[in-house]
Amino acid sequence: MITIAICDDEKQTLDQIRKLVSVFFREKNMEVSIVCFPGGEELLRYDRSVDILFLDIQMNGIDGMETARKLRSRNFRGFLIFITVLREMVFQSFEVQAYDYLVKPVEEKKFVGTMERLLVSMNNVSEERLLVQKGYERSIVPFADIIYAEIIDRKVYLHLASSVVVDFYDRIENLEERLDSRFFRCHRSYLINMQYLKSYKNGVAYMEGGKEIPISRLRSKAFSEVILQYMKEWRL
């Protein structure tokens, strides 16, 4: 499920964006979770992941730009859309990697256009994030959160650092193509994230969190070479 946050100290705008979001994704037959915040302080206290954030720039207390800076410094990787009265404020948005901006009062046509483009970006996302679809439910999973993936009876299970397991139907070959070089297919049923590898001994990869994953004989030589390559990178 896609999590969408809306942060605006004007209740009228907050309610409008929430309605536009609900209608847009309902027409797409996509399930979303919407959370709303009246200010930056409340948003910064939220401890769950957010995929799309609508953020008012001019707010009482901590403003939207400073809120965005703090979020990015905490490794927030979601899509950021600013809401603003003044277009001139948007020139500062590049430093916080804003996807787009909406000018108050928000026009439905402009909102829909932004969201249509954003969905294309989400579907095409391949660098450091994985878009997972299960029925009408879609989730965005950062590569860095995946410890390993396994396939059981045609279903893929992503084991995340948060202990959450995300499952969906796919072939492990397709998943391998969508992931980057930090992942190694060590077995016909496993893909591991080398960043979470603690040690390797006697055909077994010991991962952070205590999981032991078998390394097939056919892949053991290539696995040893990959480990050496990562050791070189870690030294840099």
Side-chain angles (χ1 to χ4, degrees):
M1 180 178 295
I2 296 174
T3 298
I4 299 172
I6 307 168
C7 182
D8 198 305
D9 61 357
E10 295 180 356
K11 187 177 185 302
Q12 182 178 356
T13 301
L14 192 150
D15 290 341
Q16 180 198 17
I17 298 297
R18 178 169 52 191
K19 182 178 179 180
L20 288 170
V21 167
S22 298
V23 171
F24 179 83
F25 283 99
R26 185 167 61 247
E27 291 179 350
K28 297 292 183 182
N29 291 319
M30 294 172 62
E31 294 185 20
V32 295
S33 172
I34 303 174
V35 289
C36 298
F37 304 92
E41 293 87 351
E42 292 83 358
L43 174 60
L44 290 169
R45 287 196 292 268
Y46 188 68
D47 60 357
R48 299 185 180 181
S49 63
V50 171
D51 301 308
I52 302 171
L53 170 60
F54 294 90
L55 181 59
D56 185 17
I57 291 182
Q58 294 173 292
M59 296 186 292
N60 293 323
I62 180 173
D63 65 24
M65 199 63 68
E66 183 61 25
T67 300
R69 291 191 189 99
K70 289 181 180 294
L71 287 171
R72 290 302 190 197
S73 71
R74 298 178 185 179
N75 208 29
F76 169 63
R77 299 181 180 181
F79 290 92
L80 172 60
I81 300 173
F82 275 125
I83 309 167
T84 182
V85 175
L86 302 174
R87 293 176 186 269
E88 293 77 12
M89 296 291 295
V90 177
F91 291 112
Q92 303 176 40
S93 66
F94 295 106
E95 64 180 281
V96 290
Q97 303 165 26
Y99 181 81
D100 203 350
Y101 68 95
L102 298 170
V103 177
K104 296 181 181 182
V106 177
E107 298 178 3
E108 182 177 359
K109 183 177 180 180
K110 169 67 174 175
F111 175 86
V112 171
T114 293
M115 295 308 296
E116 291 287 0
R117 289 188 292 104
L118 189 148
L119 279 188
V120 171
S121 297
M122 290 176 68
N123 285 322
N124 291 337
V125 68
S126 59
E127 184 177 356
E128 297 189 349
R129 287 178 290 181
L130 181 70
L131 180 64
V132 173
Q133 182 159 350
K134 183 179 179 181
Y136 291 131
E137 181 178 329
R138 298 186 184 188
S139 303
I140 298 174
V141 182
F143 288 175
D145 290 353
I146 303 171
I147 298 178
Y148 68 96
E150 65 178 329
I151 186 164
I152 303 174
D153 295 332
R154 296 181 298 166
K155 181 177 279 191
V156 172
Y157 295 84
L158 300 179
H159 295 261
L160 309 185
S162 62
S163 298
V164 171
V165 178
V166 177
D167 63 277
F168 57 99
Y169 285 101
D170 200 357
R171 298 178 60 201
I172 198 167
E173 292 83 2
N174 295 338
L175 177 62
E176 186 178 13
E177 291 180 358
R178 296 168 63 191
L179 297 173
D180 63 15
S181 60
R182 82 189 78 182
F183 291 88
F184 181 80
R185 188 175 176 187
C186 61
H187 187 278
R188 64 182 180 181
S189 300
Y190 290 97
L191 275 162
I192 64 173
N193 186 340
M194 298 295 292
Q195 293 179 328
Y196 287 96
L197 177 67
K198 293 184 67 176
S199 62
Y200 170 53
K201 183 179 180 181
N202 297 330
V204 177
Y206 296 87
M207 310 297 292
E208 289 186 20
K211 179 66 178 180
E212 300 178 10
I213 296 178
I215 309 297
S216 71
R217 291 183 179 179
L218 293 176
R219 300 176 188 271
S220 60
K221 182 179 180 181
F223 185 58
S224 297
E225 294 173 353
V226 168
I227 291 175
L228 291 174
Q229 180 61 36
Y230 266 83
M231 286 177 65
K232 292 178 182 178
E233 293 177 2
W234 289 336
R235 291 194 187 104
L236 295 177

